[in-house]
Amino acid sequence: MHSSRSRPKTYGRQRSLLQDNLQDTSPTSSPDSSNRRKSRGSSGLNHNHNGTSNVTRLCDDDETVLPPPKIRSLSRGNSQLSIKASQELGSSPRSSLRASHELREAGQNHRFKDEIEYILDGLRSKDRVRVRQSCCIDLLRSMLKSEFLGLVKAYRYMDTIYDLIREDTNPIVVSSLVLILGLVVKGSQAYREIMTLTDIVPFLCDNLDSDMDPMGTLPSSKVEVAMYNDFKDLARQSGMIMKGQKVLAKSILLFTVATIVNEAVEEQDAEALALFDQSPDFYTAVIGILVQDLAWIKQPSASHVMTLSDVLDVDRIECSLRILERFSLVSKRPVTILAEQAALCPLLVQLITLCRGHAFKFAQNTDSMNLMLHTLRLLINMTNDFEPCCKMLAKSDSITVLVQNIVQFYDHCRQVRIPSGHGEAHAALNSAVHGYSPGPIDDLPLEDKEDDKDWRRQVQNDASGWYDILLMSIGLLINMLETNADRRAQFTETSIALECSAMGDCIHKECLCERSDNVLERLVDVYNTEVTISETTDNRVLSAYLALLLGCIIDGIPANETRLYKSVNGNTLQPMIELLVEFSAMHHDVHSSLGGDGAALDDGLFDSKEGSSSSSQEAKMSSSQPGGAISLDMPMSLNLDPLPILDDDATPPRSTITFPGSKADESAKSFMKIIQVLKDVESRLSI
């Protein structure tokens, strides 16, 4: 028996949006019409061999059955059909149909809120440790997804998460909070979100200064061991712990603090930096971690195939150096504290020596290059008009290491930095001086050309870093010799193994490499070579740096004055004087064009007292010399005054975060002092 109400029809895959409503408003169908409609519906479907139904046109002499009209959009008010259908649906003509992406977004938000609230409920269970641990691991696993992390920031759930966990003492929970903070701070300008959390700086400093790392001890129960291993896997997936490095909460903390400090210095956020600077144990905690990590400094050279990252925790060391380097630019507190750390300077000098050996041995070894750059910047800031640090650094045989840097990095740079202009003369000079002359790539077999191109590209990238290290080594040496006559005399009287490779017995036992007493003459040879070439900004910048260094070495030492005068090209200092005058004028013009704020350019190119790489400056000045600098993690966009000299008994203020402007006038005075020294020597010896 047939029902008086016909079943809704499906025409193909399209069901009418108004089927039910239109049936409600139509007159009641008779059984005959219902049967007739049913029979027509069954006869109007042609079934194919695949079992699917194809819709055919339905016609009848007495009645034509068509599907209800398809309404394309209920939001169009100019269609009478749309208005009528909307009224039948009980809605306004401007119906609120939502796009599919809006529906998906709404669904994602609902799922996110359900998931985060479920996790937060578990974190609120104070008396159920396992539940809290499990919820922390689940939260970490979700926050590794960029969409989830973005929603946590957008809905400001970080405050709630931090407040629920920060007082917990369970190692897994504490370590999870540390990793959560690291994930949040990785985003651009995200440090501001972290700094708004309640007592965040004391939390970070207390955990850095703790005696035991939360992840330093393996749990006893199997469940906690599983969570412990899950946390380590998640930490490595985050990118904050490199493969092969030990997963420790302090390592993640150092990454987080280094990122915050770096961005705060870049943004000149003195308020955020002052919170760390005022912490009584912050600097000592970072220095303590650095000294502890550098205790294995000599171990990597034991094997010819062992790199720095095989033994040293490179990431932790780099983060510690980065923190101290950044703060030493804007505060005098870390410099005074570093001057009291007698064990640190020898380790830093050994680190420079070891990194130099590995930089030449392993192509594109970014670990050794970055560590050396951060170390040199830190030492430049420490020795900036501050005699205690200069004196302590000189006791660590640093002068010898810096001279070796200058000679060896120059030799390697000279072999690969051959500009296109004056190519034949330049290549002939390199061949005569260094016995090296690379052949043209067109002379190679076809199968070797690509390999040779890759090799040359790698070497050129390394050479950019070598050039940075070369200039920074000269700048650090100027800082140490400029204000102390005894060190200048010691510099020229010391025999130095200029070609020491800093590997093997030279590190572990005693260096037996051939030593030279003609260090001054070797530096003059480098200067003569660069002045002779004088093709690019690189050549002129390096020549000017060497002229400054040579002027510092001979100041007040007649024997050194005579040696320089006899070794320089043409036996005259007049070209050197003219170069420094030109360089000083260029220095003044650059700072004048910046309006004196130094916001977009480093003083490091012209003034060794401001610990920054010069290659970024050189790249801005010379558009014809590509590849002048390697890309560094740390922004070098601030010009900061030299740190003031403090008396030994002076107590620095509690917080001294300052971002002063350019020091063009003081830099000009330094240039004029050296220029006058050279003029006096020229006037006496030219007779």
Side-chain angles (χ1 to χ4, degrees):
M1 181 177 182
H2 299 287
S3 173
S4 62
R5 186 183 179 94
S6 63
R7 298 175 59 186
K9 278 187 179 155
T10 300
Y11 298 91
R13 294 189 178 185
Q14 189 73 28
R15 182 184 296 275
S16 172
L17 295 175
L18 306 179
Q19 179 70 32
D20 295 336
N21 301 76
L22 293 177
Q23 289 174 353
D24 293 340
T25 56
S26 61
T28 305
S29 302
S30 63
D32 297 337
S33 62
S34 175
N35 293 337
R36 187 168 58 252
R37 194 176 296 116
K38 181 177 179 182
S39 62
R40 286 174 178 170
S42 60
S43 62
L45 296 178
N46 297 331
H47 295 272
N48 55 24
H49 296 289
N50 297 328
T52 59
S53 301
N54 298 324
V55 179
T56 60
R57 184 176 180 183
L58 304 178
C59 295
D60 196 284
D61 294 338
D62 300 333
E63 182 179 1
T64 301
V65 180
L66 296 175
K70 179 181 178 182
I71 301 176
R72 296 184 179 272
S73 174
L74 298 180
S75 61
R76 296 181 180 179
N78 57 353
S79 173
Q80 294 298 326
L81 178 60
S82 176
I83 296 175
K84 182 178 179 181
S86 300
Q87 292 175 349
E88 290 176 348
L89 287 172
S91 60
S92 63
R94 306 287 296 181
S95 181
S96 58
L97 288 183
R98 303 174 68 181
S100 60
H101 70 276
E102 294 177 346
L103 295 174
R104 285 195 298 268
E105 182 178 354
Q108 290 174 355
N109 292 341
H110 283 300
R111 286 195 298 271
F112 163 75
K113 290 189 176 182
D114 290 342
E115 184 176 355
I116 192 68
E117 290 297 338
Y118 175 80
I119 293 174
L120 292 179
D121 288 342
L123 295 179
R124 293 186 182 99
S125 57
K126 299 289 185 181
D127 55 341
R128 302 172 65 184
V129 178
R130 295 287 174 81
V131 173
R132 290 169 62 81
Q133 291 174 334
S134 178
C135 288
C136 286
I137 299 299
D138 291 340
L139 180 59
L140 282 175
R141 189 174 289 107
S142 298
M143 291 187 70
L144 286 177
K145 304 173 184 177
S146 58
E147 296 86 356
F148 190 92
L149 180 59
L151 292 173
V152 169
K153 296 179 180 179
Y155 287 101
R156 305 187 67 84
Y157 273 102
M158 194 59 220
D159 294 347
T160 304
I161 295 171
Y162 174 75
D163 290 337
L164 289 174
I165 302 179
R166 67 187 180 97
E167 295 183 357
D168 204 306
T169 59
N170 183 269
I172 294 179
V173 177
V174 174
S175 301
S176 298
L177 178 56
V178 169
L179 184 53
I180 289 171
L181 295 174
L183 291 173
V184 173
V185 84
K186 286 181 68 176
S188 177
Q189 300 293 326
Y191 84 97
R192 298 183 185 277
E193 301 179 22
I194 295 296
M195 296 304 294
T196 59
L197 300 177
T198 305
D199 296 331
I200 183 60
V201 173
F203 172 83
L204 296 173
C205 294
D206 291 345
N207 281 276
L208 278 176
D209 197 34
S210 61
D211 296 331
M212 181 64 68
D213 192 288
M215 295 297 293
T217 304
L218 188 68
S220 56
S221 66
K222 292 183 178 180
V223 176
E224 290 187 340
V225 168
M227 294 183 182
Y228 178 89
N229 293 328
D230 288 342
F231 176 84
K232 292 197 299 183
D233 293 339
L234 295 172
R236 291 191 177 95
Q237 293 176 29
S238 69
M240 285 178 258
I241 302 294
M242 301 305 294
K243 184 178 180 180
Q245 303 296 326
K246 190 173 183 181
V247 177
L248 295 173
K250 286 188 178 182
S251 300
I252 304 173
L253 276 172
L254 285 170
F255 172 87
T256 303
V257 174
T259 305
I260 293 174
V261 171
N262 174 52
E263 293 188 2
V265 171
E266 186 180 16
E267 296 295 322
Q268 298 192 11
D269 190 346
E271 183 179 356
L273 294 171
L275 294 176
F276 289 99
D277 192 60
Q278 294 169 2
S279 179
D281 300 324
F282 171 65
Y283 293 120
T284 55
V286 176
I287 294 172
I289 294 174
L290 179 59
V291 172
Q292 181 181 1
D293 291 339
L294 292 177
W296 301 91
I297 191 65
K298 293 185 178 182
Q299 188 66 27
S301 61
S303 173
H304 293 292
V305 296
M306 189 175 294
T307 62
L308 290 173
S309 58
D310 292 332
V311 176
L312 297 179
D313 197 330
V314 174
D315 293 329
R316 276 170 57 115
I317 295 174
E318 183 177 341
C319 288
S320 300
L321 290 172
R322 186 181 298 179
I323 293 170
L324 296 174
E325 172 211 332
R326 295 280 86 189
F327 267 111
S328 63
L329 280 173
V330 298
S331 175
K332 51 193 173 184
R333 283 198 65 218
V335 177
T336 57
I337 295 175
L338 286 166
E340 301 171 356
Q341 303 293 324
L344 181 60
C345 276
L347 293 174
L348 293 178
V349 174
Q350 293 177 19
L351 179 62
I352 293 175
T353 306
L354 191 61
C355 287
R356 183 180 72 237
H358 282 261
F360 296 149
K361 183 177 179 180
F362 301 100
Q364 289 188 308
N365 192 335
T366 56
D367 290 338
S368 59
M369 303 287 279
N370 289 337
L371 287 181
M372 190 181 298
L373 287 167
H374 287 301
T375 304
L376 288 171
R377 290 196 194 103
L378 174 60
L379 293 177
I380 288 176
N381 297 337
M382 289 171 56
T383 57
N384 180 15
D385 284 341
F386 195 61
E387 179 60 23
C389 285
C390 292
K391 182 178 180 180
M392 182 175 59
L393 188 60
K395 294 180 180 179
S396 306
D397 202 26
S398 59
I399 293 178
T400 297
V401 173
L402 293 175
V403 173
Q404 292 172 342
N405 273 6
I406 296 171
V407 173
Q408 296 184 28
F409 279 105
Y410 174 76
D411 286 346
H412 282 75
C413 287
R414 196 74 273 130
Q415 291 176 8
V416 295
R417 296 175 77 88
I418 301 179
S420 57
H422 309 285
E424 293 182 1
H426 198 165
L429 178 61
N430 275 275
S431 179
V433 175
H434 306 290
Y436 172 85
S437 181
I441 192 172
D442 293 336
D443 296 341
L444 295 173
L446 180 61
E447 59 272 12
D448 295 337
K449 284 186 178 181
E450 291 300 325
D451 293 340
D452 188 80
K453 286 181 180 179
D454 293 339
W455 177 84
R456 294 189 183 214
R457 190 181 302 111
Q458 292 177 7
V459 173
Q460 188 65 35
N461 292 337
D462 287 343
S464 298
W466 299 339
Y467 184 77
D468 278 353
I469 294 170
L470 171 60
L471 294 182
M472 295 175 70
S473 298
I474 296 174
L476 178 55
L477 200 54
I478 292 174
N479 278 2
M480 298 180 63
L481 300 179
E482 185 179 20
T483 58
N484 190 284
D486 294 335
R487 283 195 291 270
R488 292 198 294 271
Q490 179 186 1
F491 173 81
T492 54
E493 295 171 358
T494 304
S495 299
I496 300 177
L498 298 177
E499 307 298 337
C500 177
S501 63
M503 301 292 287
D505 291 341
C506 294
I507 290 291
H508 291 284
K509 299 178 182 179
E510 180 182 2
C511 178
L512 300 178
C513 298
E514 182 180 357
R515 296 179 177 271
S516 173
D517 295 325
N518 301 321
V519 177
L520 179 59
E521 285 75 11
R522 183 62 180 273
L523 295 178
V524 177
D525 287 341
V526 175
Y527 167 80
N528 290 337
T529 303
E530 290 300 292
V531 171
T532 302
I533 299 171
S534 189
E535 293 178 336
T536 65
T537 304
D538 281 2
N539 303 129
R540 300 186 65 79
V541 169
L542 181 55
S543 300
Y545 262 66
L546 288 169
L548 283 173
L549 176 59
L550 293 172
C552 290
I553 293 173
I554 68 172
D555 186 14
I557 305 177
N560 291 346
E561 295 174 358
T562 304
R563 292 171 62 183
L564 173 62
Y565 195 81
K566 291 181 178 180
S567 303
V568 73
N569 282 345
N571 294 333
T572 177
L573 300 179
Q574 191 59 37
M576 186 180 294
I577 296 172
E578 294 175 356
L579 175 63
L580 289 179
V581 171
E582 178 187 356
F583 205 65
S584 178
M586 182 171 57
H587 183 206
H588 182 270
D589 292 342
V590 168
H591 287 286
S592 298
S593 66
L594 294 175
D597 59 358
L601 206 54
D602 282 333
D603 272 350
L605 174 62
F606 304 105
D607 190 354
S608 64
K609 295 179 180 298
E610 300 178 15
S612 57
S613 170
S614 66
S615 295
S616 58
Q617 174 93 337
E618 176 266 341
K620 297 181 193 313
M621 294 176 55
S622 175
S623 60
S624 62
Q625 179 66 16
I630 62 174
S631 176
L632 303 176
D633 294 337
M634 303 303 296
M636 305 302 298
S637 59
L638 295 177
N639 267 316
L640 304 173
D641 283 328
L643 298 174
I645 300 177
L646 299 179
D647 296 332
D648 294 338
D649 298 332
T651 301
R654 193 176 183 197
S655 178
T656 55
I657 302 296
T658 55
F659 298 93
S662 172
K663 296 293 292 184
D665 293 338
E666 288 193 11
S667 300
K669 292 179 181 179
S670 298
F671 279 109
M672 295 309 299
K673 176 183 176 182
I674 301 301
I675 291 172
Q676 189 59 47
V677 169
L678 296 175
K679 285 183 177 180
D680 294 342
V681 174
E682 176 69 19
S683 63
R684 288 196 304 268
L685 300 180
S686 61
I687 301 175

